[in-house]
Amino acid sequence: MSIELKNVSYTYMAKTPFEHLALNDISLTIPEGKITAIAGHTGSGKSTLIQHFNGLLKPDSGVVLVDGTDIGSKNNEAKMARRKVGIAFQYPEHQLFEETIAQDIAFGPKNMGCGPEETDSRVKYAMDFVNLDYNKYADRSPFHLSGGQKRRAAIAGILALKPKYLVLDEPTAGLDPKGRESLMGRILKLHKEEGTTIVLISHNMDDIAQYADNVIILSKGKVLIQASPEEAFSRVDAIHQAGLELPEIKEILNELAAKGLPIENNAYTMEKAVSEILSVLGRQGKC
Amino acid sequence: MSFIECKNLSHIYNQGQSNEHIAVENVNLKIEAGEFVAILGTNGSGKSTLAKHFNGLLLPSSGRCLVNGMDTTEEDKMWDIRRQIGMVFQNPDNQIIAAIVEDDVGFGPENIGMEPHEIRRNVTSALRMVDMEEYRNFSPHHLSGGQKQRVAIAGALAMNSKCLVLDEPTAMLDPRGRHEVIDTVNMLNKEKGITIIYITHFMEEAALADRILVMDRGHMIAAGTPREIFQDIGAMKKRGLAVPMAAELAYRLKQKGVKITESVINTKDLVKVLCPSN
């Protein structure tokens, strides 16, 4: 099962002087149970694309299938399919609005028609997942949390919907290194323990290298690359053409290789870089 | 006299209320004209609160903040201070107000009553400095994030600001946009002598500064050159921060028994250590 886009195109402000083709005949697959990263520079169509995943935007042409169901249909089945996809937009903390954190997180489940008990249990589950102590925080105002906590509270609001597919747009932007690591840790836990499919929109190529099973690179509303991180990052020219960069660690290794360190240079994560360098130094008897 | 000086500066939000919060406590610092200073610290460490004192957006609860010798609490000095120090924030969309780029850049100068011919001249030279002159008649909404941030920087330059305070200006940008902004900032510092105060979570960006200040729970707990600050990886991690990727790589290699005695904070250092023929 998967989210599947077939020949999707979308134009903003069609038939006006501002007409802009944001998505141009996009076909792609987000496989269930994996972590898929989507990258592309500003204006490449990422945000427009993810809004198609749960029907917030309807394609001008083409279809969006969630687990085989066309979510553009008007029937109940399509509605249920749309609900499988939860989207946490950029800076989701700007969308906090309730008086207490628990009420804010409960908004979604209530709206979906969950009863009080089910709602309550989902709120507890979601808060636990993002590591916000229910007893301590449930009745506090979300506006008095720190930046990182607000972000987690906002994401908890999406988790309470128990989406099968969780789409996160730049979830770690603006967080400090520790906050970044801790939030990514939580997302990975969700992926491993609940089997939630993760779609990660990110500018951070090192994060993509570390976490993603698949990479989709968008450029000017088209899919430029759809591949494993290894393969994607080996296509340097295409990456640059898309206005992106290689992971920092890859740039470092390239520089070392260019300056004569005989590494294999296949690594694109810190762990693999360390072991590549160690194996060279070991051969040279330097450690 | 330092360009910016904080003496025992504290800032308390909601003072006297149940949710009172000491955001900055007893900070002493001096920033000299022409310096490039980066401020690091976790979310909630007081970086932004501190930075908002530099142009009087916030006033100290106790202690003082002096800009070019002027106390930010003296009301009649406020405009003079704000003219000298421009702020650029994280979200470009929150700080652009006009429908055309050149109007946006000219907004500040117009507001302080600058003569029209001077405004025109300043807008042109500011846009040239950030390499955005060809976009002067564009709508800001059609610009990329990096371009918008450069327009925001131009807005400060058009006021003849001598100092830019940038609060995570690259947090929302893609890699290209990040480069555009950091290159522009670096050039303004090195070639135009603009004082830069740069708040960031990106360690590679902080490594470009002359000096790094580290904030932790409202206190300034460390100050030094990037080399000094990034040397102690353990301490940085304990603070919830990180080090540049090259420093991290060197650190991990050392842990595995590779002999590295030199300090490594960038790729160049690492090349020197690992590729001895260079």
Side-chain angles (χ1 to χ4, degrees), chain A residues 18 41-42 90-91 144 173-178 180 203 206 240-241 243-245 248-249 252 255-256 259 261 270-271 273-274 277-278 281 286-287, chain B residues 19 42-43 90 142 145 168 171-176 179 201 203-204 240-242 245-246 248-249 252-253 256-258 267 270-271 274-276 278:
Chain A
F18 301 106
H41 83 100
T42 318
Q90 234 177 52
Y91 291 76
H144 292 152
L175 295 186
D176 59 53
K178 192 177 168 188
R180 225 147 51 205
H203 289 321
D206 288 282
H240 288 160
Q241 187 200 328
L244 298 173
E245 289 176 354
E248 173 79 16
I249 195 75
I252 293 176
E255 185 64 14
L256 290 174
K259 292 287 162 63
L261 192 71
M270 180 62 77
E271 286 74 25
V274 169
I277 296 174
L278 282 177
L281 296 181
K286 283 188 189 157
C287 65
Chain B
N19 53 354
T42 54
N43 295 109
Q90 190 178 104
H142 291 121
E168 291 192 52
M172 294 182 78
L173 306 184
D174 59 38
R176 186 183 284 173
H179 272 285
H201 287 314
M203 303 300 146
E204 277 77 13
L241 298 172
M245 197 76 79
E248 172 87 31
L249 183 55
R252 294 203 187 195
L253 289 171
K256 297 279 183 189
V258 179
T267 309
L270 204 59
V271 166
L274 295 177
C275 314
N278 280 272

Side-chain angles (χ1 to χ4, degrees), chain B residues 117-133:
Chain B
H117 71 274
E118 204 186 343
I119 296 179
R120 247 171 260 130
R121 198 182 59 215
N122 279 11
V123 167
T124 303
S125 90
L127 283 172
R128 202 169 287 165
M129 275 197 257
V130 300
D131 199 16
M132 285 295 289
E133 203 188 355

Side-chain angles (χ1 to χ4, degrees), chain B residues 30 34 56 88-89 104 118 136 141 164 174 207 219-221 229 235 241 248 261 264 269 276:
Chain B
K30 286 180 180 178
V88 176
F89 294 102
D104 194 82
E118 204 186 343
R136 68 183 301 153
H141 309 285
L164 288 177
D174 59 38
H219 295 264
M220 182 171 303
I221 51 160
I229 295 292
L241 298 172
E248 172 87 31
T261 48
V264 173
D269 296 339

